[in-house]
Amino acid sequence: MTRSAPQDLDFTDIPTTTLADLLGRAQVMDVSIRPLWTPVPRVAGPAFTVRCPPGDNLMLHAAIYRAAPGSVIVVESGALDYALAGGNVCAVARRRGVAAFVADGLIRDLAEVRDAGFPVFARGVIPIPGTKKAAEPLNTDIRCAGVTVSPGDIVVADEEGVVVVPAARAEETLTAADAKLAKEAAETLDDWEKTHRARIDQALRDQGFETDEAR
């Protein structure tokens, strides 16, 4: 059987909530990584990974010319004193087909980024730029906001957060997500409430809590 390459799988219709249910907490980035403007479209694509030492942004600026169209550039940084990118960098990335930035750090020129419609998921904004002195390897394993990200992993980001789907699990995860969404779409709210209440009441009984079955 021919298996699809991870980058050929389309996750844009899969909410991060569905992926989080399937993959668990370890694949969900820290809550501080948020969309910097709203309403933001859901983005999904293979990770192009970057490591920037605190205070330096050279490798992110280099990455926009090296990432393939459709990629999500994911940045390990953690610095909260300097911006990793600004309006022109985001505009060029968008023009070159980069799907989004996901950065464990800050950017600047938010109004320009928002007006350009370029999705950025990061910790926030600061007006001062970083330096460009530290060359680091591109497309290696990194750690971004608590999640290990390897080149080619599928990154899905929306207003709920950012989830990383390991490349080796991408096809099975997409199949499971499609099945889960189809099941949920076929279920009425009455059906959901009945199942939910039975599960909650059973959990309460298991803890010795007396449920009110008459309600």
Side-chain angles (χ1 to χ4, degrees):
M1 180 178 67
T2 301
R3 298 179 66 84
S4 300
Q7 61 268 26
D8 295 331
L9 301 174
D10 187 359
F11 278 79
T12 53
D13 290 333
I14 310 298
T16 54
T17 49
T18 300
L19 294 171
D21 288 347
L22 294 170
L23 295 172
R25 180 66 185 88
Q27 297 307 122
V28 180
M29 289 194 183
D30 187 273
V31 66
S32 63
I33 307 299
R34 307 301 302 166
L36 296 189
W37 54 269
T38 57
V40 69
R42 180 177 301 118
V43 296
F48 186 94
T49 58
V50 179
R51 181 178 291 108
C52 289
D56 199 277
N57 60 27
L58 174 61
M59 297 318 296
L60 173 56
H61 289 226
I64 66 173
Y65 301 107
R66 291 161 175 80
S71 299
V72 176
I73 294 181
V74 185
V75 187
E76 175 185 328
S77 172
L80 298 179
D81 295 312
Y82 301 91
L84 288 163
N88 285 342
V89 170
C90 292
V92 170
R94 183 176 184 273
R95 188 167 65 182
R96 294 182 62 84
V98 173
F101 287 168
V102 173
D104 193 354
L106 311 172
I107 70 159
R108 68 179 195 164
D109 302 329
L110 179 57
E112 295 177 29
V113 176
R114 180 176 57 239
D115 290 347
F118 183 68
V120 177
F121 298 79
R123 290 187 181 271
V125 295
I126 196 169
I128 187 168
T131 60
K132 296 172 180 61
K133 298 179 180 179
E136 296 272 348
L138 288 170
N139 244 9
T140 62
D141 288 357
I142 63 169
R143 186 82 173 166
C144 182
V147 179
T148 297
V149 186
S150 298
D153 287 349
I154 302 299
V155 181
V156 183
D158 60 21
E159 63 185 1
E160 300 278 353
V162 182
V163 180
V164 178
V165 183
R169 299 178 60 189
E171 188 168 4
E172 67 180 75
T173 300
L174 182 58
T175 299
D178 284 338
K180 187 175 190 300
L181 290 171
K183 180 181 178 182
E184 291 171 355
E187 184 179 47
T188 68
L189 181 58
D190 287 343
D191 292 336
W192 184 91
E193 181 182 1
K194 181 179 179 180
T195 301
H196 178 259
R197 176 158 187 176
R199 180 162 57 89
I200 295 304
D201 283 349
Q202 185 60 56
L204 291 171
R205 284 192 294 271
D206 290 345
Q207 297 296 316
F209 186 92
E210 186 175 343
T211 61
D212 183 1
E213 301 290 354
R215 286 190 174 185

